[in-house]
Amino acid sequence: DVLQAIMLTMTRTEGDSYDHLVPFNDVINHRNGKDYTADPVYNIGENYQIVARRDLEAGEEIRNSYNKCEWCHAFQNPPAFQRYLLTPHIFDHYGFIEPFPQRWIVPNYRLLFDVEELDNESGRLKATFAIPPSPLGVSFLKSEIERLESMKGLYDGEIKGIPDVELNTIRD
């Protein structure tokens, strides 16, 4: 299918114009936080390297960041906070829900924040705001938490017409 080939190519290309594939880098997965282990360093048409950000254990997966990397020049020093490549953009462009830590924005309420897990067992999360939230932003977040809490269990099980893989993505 031509559309599938185009989308696959777009999610694995480098450069502002989606104009070239880079062998090996095209299969490196995304992570932030402690699992963000390497940065690509390249000059288009000249050279390409993958540089470790720290010492890696034998067999540890090499992962780069699709939105916090040194080479993401389209998103460095943005003129406005809405230019960051955020968790919803990762989903839109690459087709997956970014694991924690995640970066979120709600521009109408002037909210920009990162969400990380406190630990793997409890499911507790921590939000760190890049911009102090306004009273209106705090009120919005409280109402969203209440809304989401009220939906617990509402969509458990199968839903006719929605494949399991899509339903799990919606739940994430």
Side-chain angles (χ1 to χ4, degrees), residues 9-23 25-26 42-45 47-48 71 73:
T9 302
M10 285 184 68
T11 63
R12 293 297 180 182
T13 55
E14 299 296 330
D16 292 337
S17 59
Y18 304 106
D19 56 1
H20 60 281
L21 291 169
V22 179
N25 185 61
D26 303 330
Y42 65 91
N43 295 308
I44 296 174
N47 59 43
Y48 187 88
W71 55 272
H73 57 277

Side-chain angles (χ1 to χ4, degrees), residues 35-102:
D35 293 324
Y36 169 17
T37 59
D39 279 317
V41 179
Y42 65 91
N43 295 308
I44 296 174
E46 294 178 26
N47 59 43
Y48 187 88
Q49 300 173 26
I50 300 291
V51 178
R53 297 172 54 85
R54 60 175 171 76
D55 290 340
L56 302 176
E57 299 293 324
E60 184 176 0
E61 183 177 350
I62 296 171
R63 296 183 177 113
N64 67 1
S65 174
Y66 296 178
N67 62 346
K68 292 187 178 182
C69 51
E70 298 298 322
W71 55 272
C72 297
H73 57 277
F75 299 101
Q76 285 180 349
N77 303 315
F81 66 88
Q82 66 267 24
R83 288 283 317 272
Y84 288 101
L85 189 61
L86 307 163
T87 297
H89 300 121
I90 296 283
F91 179 67
D92 182 48
H93 187 75
Y94 298 102
F96 65 89
I97 300 296
E98 176 179 34
F100 293 108
Q102 299 175 344

